[in-house]
Amino acid sequence: MLLGYYSLSSLLGVDSSRKLEQLLDPHYVYSNDTLKKKTRISYNQDALKHIGKELDHQYNLVPSLPVLRSLPIMIAQGSHDILTHAYMKENVLIHLDNVILKEVEESGHWTILEQPEKMVALTHEFMSFTGTVPPVHS
């Protein structure tokens, strides 16, 4: 869905892209109140076009699976994400044995926007698990 959004928005003008964003936004969050936290960022239309094309033509992780299988991975997914846990288990986790799937309660697809404190805690948990940073004591 996100890949298609970038591709489609790169073809549309800025106004059309913002209208599309307004239509999609409610499907990415648990609470529409979260959308009040979202800030508008300006972007370069040429850069967005390039990103959309790259995602369309180059976003194939299958050749990278051997490398990905050698890395520790944590997926923090919102409890109300448009990509369900069942979808992740059936389509992503079957290809990777080294994944920890964490559910972020009261969150949609944009976990960092809706639950920033939980995401920071999960990031510290993951980094502590992988031994890359010392654990945080709360």
Side-chain angles (χ1 to χ4, degrees), residues 62-121:
V62 173
S64 301
L65 281 176
V67 173
L68 291 173
R69 287 183 181 125
S70 71
L71 301 171
I73 298 171
M74 177 187 283
I75 297 174
Q77 183 183 25
S79 57
H80 292 76
D81 195 329
I82 57 173
L83 300 174
T84 65
H85 282 290
Y87 174 86
M88 296 301 288
K89 288 177 182 175
E90 292 169 13
N91 296 285
V92 177
L93 273 57
I94 61 166
H95 300 287
L96 302 165
D97 337 345
N98 55 327
V99 174
I100 299 167
L101 180 61
K102 293 285 189 164
E103 184 174 305
V104 181
E105 292 292 330
E106 297 181 2
S107 183
H109 190 69
W110 291 340
T111 53
I112 193 69
L113 184 64
E114 293 194 281
Q115 299 294 341
E117 296 85 10
K118 289 180 184 176
M119 290 303 295
V120 167

Side-chain angles (χ1 to χ4, degrees), residues 4-109:
Y5 167 77
Y6 280 112
S7 300
L8 186 57
S9 65
S10 69
L11 298 173
L12 303 172
V14 173
D15 291 335
S16 296
S17 179
R18 288 202 174 120
K19 287 177 187 172
L20 178 62
E21 186 178 310
Q22 289 170 351
L23 288 171
L24 293 175
D25 274 352
H27 300 283
Y28 280 89
V29 293
Y30 171 74
S31 166
N32 284 334
D33 286 340
T34 300
L35 296 174
K36 295 174 187 171
K37 297 179 194 175
K38 192 175 167 196
T39 58
R40 174 79 40 219
I41 59 169
S42 61
Y43 53 85
N44 178 307
Q45 194 66 25
D46 290 333
L48 186 58
K49 249 183 222 180
H50 180 72
I51 291 168
K53 285 179 185 176
E54 284 295 310
L55 289 174
D56 280 347
H57 300 293
Q58 304 296 327
Y59 197 75
N60 179 3
L61 294 177
V62 173
S64 301
L65 281 176
V67 173
L68 291 173
R69 287 183 181 125
S70 71
L71 301 171
I73 298 171
M74 177 187 283
I75 297 174
Q77 183 183 25
S79 57
H80 292 76
D81 195 329
I82 57 173
L83 300 174
T84 65
H85 282 290
Y87 174 86
M88 296 301 288
K89 288 177 182 175
E90 292 169 13
N91 296 285
V92 177
L93 273 57
I94 61 166
H95 300 287
L96 302 165
D97 337 345
N98 55 327
V99 174
I100 299 167
L101 180 61
K102 293 285 189 164
E103 184 174 305
V104 181
E105 292 292 330
E106 297 181 2
S107 183
H109 190 69

